Amino acid sequence: MEVTGVTEVADEDELRELTGHPLPAAVHKQRAALHELDRQWLALSPFCLIATAGADGRCDVSPKGDPAGFTLVLDDRTIAVPERPGNRRADGFRNILANPHVGLLYFIPGRGDTLRINGRARLVRDAPFFDRMVVRGHRPRLAIVVEIEEVFHHCSKAFLRSKLWQAETWAPGEMAPRAVIAKTLERKDASLAELERYYDGQEYAKKLYT
């Protein structure tokens, strides 16, 4: 759809007119290896987002979550992220097979700052370190191994503006429940009662690692 009255940014010079130039500390803060503080962050983080892009440039961002410390530090330049049972679309995995460049954003609940890691990924179907990734008896069948190219910490301004961690701003009931979304958009042949039992009951939680 074409939108009228839009003025696009054409090049980096024009972009810098709008954003300004970063301070030296921001330009030079990325590192090529993990610091002890980065290791501590990964040990406390239960959640990350992994961004990938296919050979055609189409992008995907996938959430990954497990008990804190789920990302395994193999050495100062290498980490591994276990895969758990999901919807089997494998969008990000297929992208990695075509284009190994990935970006990861690690969260610690309640913290506004984040840890960013950029690098090159490969898919590993087995390795001795898989034994260290067992959760509730589930040993992953697959892991993303990332060779780190850049690692740095990101400030909390986006979280402060969004008030993401402030419980008084949360309003989960204003959006349709997951069962209604699934019935409307994805599983139209299923009954709403069936979907509510699935998403709101114990069955869904039991399948986190099976």
Side-chain angles (χ1 to χ4, degrees):
M1 181 181 69
E2 184 175 350
V3 181
T4 60
V6 173
T7 304
E8 294 188 12
V9 176
D11 54 41
E12 186 171 350
D13 289 339
E14 185 179 358
L15 173 65
R16 288 305 179 188
E17 287 180 10
L18 298 169
T19 66
H21 291 272
L23 296 173
V27 174
H28 301 298
K29 69 179 179 178
Q30 70 263 28
R31 292 163 278 107
L34 295 171
H35 185 276
E36 177 57 29
L37 290 172
D38 305 324
R39 288 173 171 263
Q40 291 176 22
W41 190 283
L42 292 173
L44 293 169
S45 176
F47 182 82
C48 78
L49 299 172
I50 301 182
T52 60
D56 59 359
R58 297 183 67 178
C59 297
D60 179 75
V61 177
S62 179
K64 303 295 180 184
D66 240 339
F70 73 101
T71 293
L72 191 64
V73 176
L74 300 179
D75 58 46
D76 287 346
R77 294 175 181 265
T78 316
I79 59 173
V81 181
E83 174 58 7
R84 302 300 182 189
N87 60 18
R88 304 175 187 172
R89 284 180 55 98
D91 298 295
F93 294 147
R94 290 186 289 113
N95 283 348
I96 289 171
L97 291 174
N99 174 7
H101 297 283
V102 297
L104 301 92
L105 185 65
Y106 281 92
F107 298 72
I108 293 178
R111 291 282 298 244
D113 46 340
T114 52
L115 179 68
R116 293 171 61 173
I117 295 176
N118 301 319
R120 297 173 65 90
R122 65 185 190 274
L123 303 181
V124 176
R125 64 180 299 167
D126 197 13
F129 61 77
F130 277 34
D131 291 338
R132 298 161 59 190
M133 293 177 160
V134 175
V135 176
R136 296 188 192 176
H138 179 270
R139 188 178 190 271
R141 295 183 177 180
L142 186 68
I144 303 171
V145 174
V146 179
E147 297 176 7
I148 296 170
E149 296 176 333
E150 294 180 330
V151 54
F152 55 96
H153 290 259
H154 195 101
C155 72
S156 60
K157 289 181 180 178
F159 287 79
L160 292 172
R161 286 191 288 258
S162 65
K163 301 181 179 179
L164 182 65
W165 300 122
Q166 296 184 27
E168 64 270 20
T169 70
W170 299 349
E174 292 188 7
M175 184 65 204
R178 176 69 186 120
V180 173
I181 294 173
K183 170 67 175 175
T184 305
L185 301 177
E186 303 155 9
R187 303 175 63 182
K188 297 181 180 180
D189 293 337
S191 72
L192 181 58
E194 176 186 358
L195 293 171
E196 288 174 337
R197 285 193 299 271
Y198 175 69
Y199 287 110
D200 299 335
Q202 295 298 315
E203 181 181 353
Y204 191 73
K206 288 179 180 178
K207 293 186 176 181
L208 293 180
Y209 293 95
T210 59

